[in-house]
Amino acid sequence: MVNRMLKVAIVGGTHGNELTGIYLVKQLEQFPERLVRPTLDCITLLANPRAIAANQRYIDRDLNRCFDAADLANATLQNYEEQRAKEIAAQLKPKTQKQVDVIVDLHSTTANMGLTIILSSRDPVNLRLAAYLSQCHADIRIYCGINCGQSNPMLRSLVTLGCTIEVGPVAQGVLDAQRLMQTAMLVQHILDYLDAVQQGNSLSLPSSLTLYQARSTVDYPRNAYGELRAAIHPDRQFQDYQPMYPGDPMFLDFMGESIVYAGETVVYPVFINEAAYYEKQIAMVLTEKQTIDLTAIGVKP
Ligand SMILES: [Zn+2]
């Protein structure tokens, strides 16, 4: 007995210079049979057409920071991305038709984050999805943002189910064939998983899941004018998901002196030196490495 159809949106180009997701959506629109599953109704969306045409992250404002519920309801917010966010919210969550159940938002990062799945929430469906993907790809990383599952301004937060795929390192405005193929494969695995769940098929999953929970962000050291006083330390560059212990070097100032991590616990930095985050005053995001017991949410080992 098949459950009702699950509506899934595959979104690319939320950031106009992240070509992986843009070209994957274009491919899926060219070969729509790749989206066909018995229990899924899949749609595709290029979220920020003007930014894509300009090969820029955004035109007026970062679109992936425009989906806060209060901002969507604020009629005075009318710049390009603020309008696009309202249009996308209306398209994915129409009041009179079936709303999208799952959003998969495709991104890339200049940080060395490999294949990262950013969960939209810790809903058991998402955690089982993460476990399934971890089983398919040993090198995948599962990440939860600081506002995971709460109201936040990310596009993925429009619904509870789904994730962002964040692959890197990929330079802005560059198409990397390997990352494109890996993202395409992950999308196929996500659709397979959702379809299996909808069909009531039991999947064998691992009994636990390693997850990196974001706790805080760190800005670059800056002078009174906001200019950088130091760069990411060479020992830290590209070391995403590697442990950083108290006293480890984080930054190297322009006198050649190391600036060390002054926290008291081991953390696992990610988004290290992400190009788009200089304007957001984020040099890295500090995460806590967690082991989630999946048997507690009904997964039978
Ligand atoms: Zn992005």
Side-chain angles (χ1 to χ4, degrees), residues 143 146 213-218 267 270 282 284-288:
Y143 169 89
I146 291 172
Q213 173 61 56
R215 291 296 184 205
S216 61
T217 62
V218 179
V267 289
V270 297
I282 296 173
M284 63 185 76
V285 177
L286 304 185
T287 77
E288 176 192 332

Side-chain angles (χ1 to χ4, degrees), residues 117 128-137 140 142 186 189-190:
I117 300 292
R128 290 191 200 106
L129 167 65
Y132 176 75
L133 296 174
S134 299
Q135 190 170 254
C136 297
H137 308 269
I140 214 164
I142 309 299
L186 285 172
H189 283 140
I190 290 169

Side-chain angles (χ1 to χ4, degrees), residues 14-18 57 62 64-65 105-109 164-166 271 274 276-277:
T14 302
H15 293 134
N17 57 5
E18 295 177 2
R57 184 175 175 90
D62 189 335
N64 213 24
R65 301 294 183 274
D105 197 13
L106 309 176
H107 288 254
S108 61
T109 171
T164 293
I165 301 178
E166 189 81 72
F271 287 109
E274 159 58 44
Y277 284 1

